[in-house]
Amino acid sequence: DGVSSKSFRRSSLHKFSPIDGKEFFDLEEDIHIPDSDDVFHVYMAGSEGPVVFCLHGGGYSGLSFALSAAQIKEKARVVAMDMRGHGKTFTENDLDLSIETMCNDVIAVLTAMYGSSPPAIILVGHSMGGSVAVHVAAKKAIPSLAGLVVVDVVEGTAMASLMHMQKILSSRIQHFQSIEKAIEWSVKGGSLRNIDSARVSVPTTLKYDDARKCYVYRARLEETEQYWRGWYEGLSEKFLSSPVPKLLLLAGTDRLDRFFF
């Protein structure tokens, strides 16, 4: 009947309703980079210990690390950054996702936050952010770098998947009537498995399009294809040669022989 149908829709909307990032992070700030108009948004949690500096994957945001931050902040500080062209970060060229530019962004944000004497930094990166973390570590530009954690990215697999990337991006639903619908699609479509993670992170991956009266993706990844190969070429060697303790986290044993045998 009509009443039960409305109740079901209300409960469904509540299930996929947004969660404020403040439930997981203690503070968020805009970091202004000197001598530029670039402003990078960061989320912070914790008050002591080393800084676990988190870099998200393409199309995501710093809030992808919200649930992890709530756990890590008990023993360390957490900083999760919205990368160029993502989330609440705005730069002079949001489409320049070259590995060189993104590495410089990370170094500039760390310098703006901590000056010339940063605390111990542990870089954590997922997918695209993982490649940035590896390249930053390889530059040896962070004197206090204490560790490197790479999540779900291996050079061979990443390079092989690039030929399918445009098709994957174009097959996504491009417009959403509401943020709740976008959260629901991300969970049911399999791009995110954890509902609470989707509820806190998906809203910052969207922006409202006044002309079309709907929500669309904030990051225009399909327009950055020229940079994709640069993210992953030579990644294995750079990871292995990084002079700090490192950890590779994968969902499966894909291509592990490249690293350990």
Side-chain angles (χ1 to χ4, degrees):
D1 59 19
V3 175
S4 61
S5 176
K6 287 179 182 178
S7 298
F8 176 79
R9 284 199 297 271
R10 278 198 299 269
S11 64
S12 178
L13 283 175
H14 177 71
K15 182 180 180 182
F16 298 109
S17 61
I19 301 176
D20 196 319
K22 292 183 175 68
E23 292 191 25
F24 305 93
F25 288 97
D26 304 327
L27 184 67
E28 55 182 290
E29 279 188 5
D30 286 327
I31 306 298
H32 296 257
I33 304 304
D35 303 319
S36 79
D37 292 326
D38 296 346
V39 181
F40 290 89
H41 199 74
V42 299
Y43 301 88
M44 294 175 282
S47 57
E48 55 187 38
V51 171
V52 180
F53 197 88
C54 302
L55 305 172
H56 61 79
Y60 294 92
S61 81
L63 287 178
S64 296
F65 293 95
L67 272 64
S68 299
Q71 302 295 319
I72 296 171
K73 72 179 182 180
E74 301 299 325
K75 297 190 176 183
R77 288 174 280 178
V78 183
V79 177
M81 164 183 165
D82 283 346
M83 306 282 278
R84 174 180 295 257
H86 292 73
K88 297 179 182 179
T89 283
F90 291 94
T91 66
E92 295 174 21
N93 184 358
D94 277 352
L95 291 178
D96 180 6
L97 297 189
S98 66
I99 192 66
E100 189 70 21
T101 294
M102 290 193 290
C103 285
N104 290 338
D105 290 343
V106 170
I107 295 166
V109 168
L110 285 168
T111 301
M113 291 182 70
Y114 302 113
S116 58
S117 301
I121 303 288
I122 299 168
L123 285 176
V124 179
H126 168 243
S127 194
M128 178 191 79
S131 73
V132 175
V134 169
H135 281 82
V136 170
K139 282 178 173 289
K140 300 178 182 176
I142 305 171
S144 62
L145 187 64
L148 172 65
V149 181
V150 177
V151 183
D152 202 28
V153 58
V154 177
E155 179 183 345
T157 308
M159 293 296 289
S161 68
L162 289 182
M163 67 181 71
H164 308 293
M165 192 58 64
Q166 283 289 7
K167 184 177 180 181
I168 292 169
L169 291 173
S170 63
S171 67
R172 300 186 299 178
I173 295 178
Q174 302 296 320
H175 317 102
F176 299 97
Q177 296 174 339
S178 67
I179 290 176
E180 287 82 0
K181 286 291 185 185
I183 293 170
E184 181 178 8
W185 183 83
S186 71
V187 174
K188 292 184 175 179
S191 60
L192 290 169
R193 301 289 180 87
N194 187 301
I195 291 180
D196 286 342
S197 178
R199 291 171 68 192
V200 69
S201 66
V202 167
T204 53
T205 67
L206 306 169
K207 64 178 182 179
Y208 190 73
D209 187 318
D210 288 312
R212 290 184 279 186
K213 306 296 181 187
C214 63
Y215 289 91
V216 298
Y217 292 111
R218 158 79 173 96
R220 290 147 57 193
L221 290 177
E222 65 281 357
E223 297 176 47
T224 65
E225 184 174 4
Q226 61 182 305
Y227 304 118
W228 296 349
R229 291 187 66 85
W231 299 348
Y232 305 120
E233 279 183 329
L235 194 63
S236 294
E237 181 56 37
K238 281 187 166 60
F239 177 82
L240 289 170
S241 62
S242 176
V244 296
K246 45 195 172 282
L247 179 65
L248 176 66
L249 298 177
L250 298 176
T253 55
D254 186 38
R255 297 178 189 263
L256 281 181
D257 59 312
R258 288 288 301 279
F259 284 87
F260 298 116
F261 296 102

